[in-house]
Amino acid sequence: MSEVIRVEGLTKTYPLSKGSTPLVAVDGIDFSVQEGEVFGFLGPNGAGKTTTIRMLTGLSRPTSGRAVLLGLDLSRDMARIKKRIGVVPETSNLYDELTAFDNLIFAMQLYGVPRSERKRRAEALLERFRLSEKRNTLFAKLSRGMKRALTIAAALAHQPPLVFLDEPTTGLDVMSARNLRQTIARLRDEGVTVFLTTHYLEEAERLCDRIAIIVKGRIVALDSVSNLKSNAQSAGTVTVEITFSDGESGVETRRVEAQDVETAIQTALAQANGRQMVSINTLRPSLEDVFVKLTGLKAEVMLVEKGGKGGGNAGG
Ligand SMILES: Nc1ncnc2c1ncn2[C@@H]1O[C@H](COP(=O)(O)OP(=O)(O)OP(=O)(O)O)[C@@H](O)[C@H]1O
Ligand SMILES: [Mg+2]
């Protein structure tokens, strides 16, 4: 597998009012993304996720640091990089006054897709994103989920090997979010490398091969989901959940936390008091536990929604 993105010391500061220290939105981050993986950038509001995407896609100039995308240097080859990446921003970049079909055609014109290919490819994308029926509907008239789907379709119009998705499911209803996650999983199956930002721990856990957790412009953890979890497990405690039967009076469930599984089970069993054990479960740490452990933040900070963006949808 080759490296599709390599980032070293990437930093973005924004000047604030005169005389005050500038805001460091992204603070010297390093990471790399391998070909074909879904790489998650997980962090709360204001962590620096969008700023990072904007720098990597040529919309914002890094204050310092460097990045190489698809073998091309960000500071020298942005024009060539742009032709080979797809970008789905937080707010759609499509045109309200064009139809679904025409938006796709327009995107292909921009990316220099040969004229002879455009119509066929647009139809195929509409089909794939379940938008064929909305072919002639103005973008402005599409539902929120359809708008997001079409925005992704347009970002794929030139068949880029690398796609950036900035909070693709935020503000979508459960069904639309689920469809979108399937789309992302399918992109991965096709070998497309995906860089994805999200607030949703569960979404990151479900979709991503590796996750970087970013807080206040810094990456505080970066690993595969399973490694993040097993590290948290070895560093912390395990929980055993045990259920006893009292005969007539029903069941009681107790949770016991300990440094290791054996101790937890023994402690739990010691609470039997002659009752029969109905079930025993070892609870592995969720990504949420890992997040709390690593960041010192409550997992709820991730659920704080931005104004007007709608409710959570990590389920499903
Ligand atoms: N153009 C700008 N000028 C000044 N400050 C900015 C600008 N853009 C972003 N910031 C600040 O940089 C920090 C990081 O913002 P960014 O949008 O990258 O966060 P984010 O992780 O995408 O957050 P969210 O989850 O809310 O989208 C925030 O403190 C934000 O206020
Ligand atoms: Mg953002």
Side-chain angles (χ1 to χ4, degrees), residues 14 23 25 43-52 90 166-167 199 306:
Y14 290 113
L23 174 85
N45 284 154
K49 303 181 296 294
T50 298
T51 303
T52 302
E90 278 181 291
D166 198 356
E167 296 197 36
H199 280 191
K306 283 173 266 192

Side-chain angles (χ1 to χ4, degrees), residues 227-238 257-260 285 289-290 293-294:
N227 280 349
L228 283 173
K229 284 185 181 179
S230 59
N231 287 349
Q233 202 162 23
S234 58
T237 55
V238 289
E257 232 184 289
Q259 289 301 314
D260 57 79
D289 300 327
V290 177
K293 196 154 273 164
L294 289 169

Side-chain angles (χ1 to χ4, degrees), residues 14-304:
Y14 290 113
L16 292 176
S17 56
K18 242 187 173 168
S20 64
T21 39
L23 174 85
V24 186
V26 173
D27 194 358
I29 58 173
D30 305 294
F31 64 89
S32 62
V33 178
Q34 303 300 311
E35 184 178 356
E37 76 175 335
V38 177
F39 186 85
F41 228 49
L42 177 70
N45 284 154
K49 303 181 296 294
T50 298
T51 303
T52 302
I53 286 197
R54 288 175 60 82
M55 287 192 280
L56 294 180
T57 58
L59 294 172
S60 170
R61 190 187 289 274
T63 309
S64 62
R66 68 186 287 264
V68 176
L69 277 74
L70 300 160
L72 300 165
D73 193 299
L74 190 76
S75 62
R76 288 194 303 267
D77 287 318
M78 200 61 230
R80 283 165 73 198
I81 291 172
K82 275 189 177 175
K83 288 200 176 129
R84 302 192 55 210
I85 61 174
V87 186
V88 180
E90 278 181 291
T91 315
S92 181
N93 51 357
L94 299 192
Y95 294 91
D96 274 344
E97 63 278 18
L98 294 183
T99 63
F101 181 82
D102 287 344
N103 262 300
L104 294 178
I105 296 292
F106 185 68
M108 285 188 241
Q109 283 171 357
L110 284 183
Y111 282 113
V113 174
R115 180 182 288 273
S116 58
E117 285 224 10
R118 289 177 202 158
K119 187 166 179 296
R120 184 192 58 76
R121 215 185 271 185
E123 304 286 7
L125 282 166
L126 288 172
E127 180 79 20
R128 169 172 181 177
F129 285 88
R130 305 172 215 210
L131 289 168
S132 294
E133 273 177 31
K134 301 291 175 182
R135 186 186 190 284
N136 298 318
T137 303
L138 295 181
F139 184 71
K141 304 277 184 194
L142 296 175
S143 74
R144 213 199 291 231
M146 291 172 184
K147 282 182 176 169
R148 198 68 59 87
L150 191 70
T151 306
I152 296 176
L156 299 173
H158 55 305
Q159 298 175 324
L162 170 61
V163 180
F164 292 87
L165 301 169
D166 198 356
E167 296 197 36
T169 62
T170 298
L172 297 188
D173 62 89
V174 171
M175 271 309 289
S176 304
R178 184 182 298 175
N179 283 341
L180 230 164
R181 281 194 288 271
Q182 281 169 3
T183 301
I184 295 165
R186 212 172 333 138
L187 279 179
R188 196 246 253 104
D189 294 342
E190 290 164 12
V192 175
T193 307
V194 178
F195 183 100
L196 169 98
T197 75
T198 182
H199 280 191
Y200 302 120
L201 294 155
E202 210 187 336
E203 174 168 296
E205 178 165 5
R206 226 177 270 193
L207 278 179
C208 300
D209 297 295
R210 289 190 306 141
I211 295 172
I213 299 179
I214 178 165
V215 180
K216 292 184 181 162
R218 292 199 178 154
I219 293 177
V220 297
L222 196 173
D223 214 327
S224 66
V225 174
S226 58
N227 280 349
L228 283 173
K229 284 185 181 179
S230 59
N231 287 349
Q233 202 162 23
S234 58
T237 55
V238 289
T239 303
V240 161
E241 198 177 75
I242 191 161
T243 304
F244 300 111
S245 167
D246 275 344
E248 289 104 67
S249 55
V251 295
E252 186 203 358
T253 300
R254 291 200 174 194
R255 281 185 172 199
V256 174
E257 232 184 289
Q259 289 301 314
D260 57 79
V261 180
E262 289 74 32
T263 313
I265 291 176
Q266 273 165 22
T267 312
L269 287 174
Q271 298 176 8
N273 294 328
R275 291 173 298 177
Q276 196 185 341
M277 188 183 81
V278 178
S279 68
I280 186 159
N281 275 315
T282 307
L283 305 177
R284 314 213 163 275
S286 64
L287 192 60
E288 186 170 311
D289 300 327
V290 177
F291 177 83
V292 171
K293 196 154 273 164
L294 289 169
T295 63
L297 295 168
K298 290 219 172 74
E300 288 81 63
V301 302
M302 305 292 275
L303 298 176
V304 176

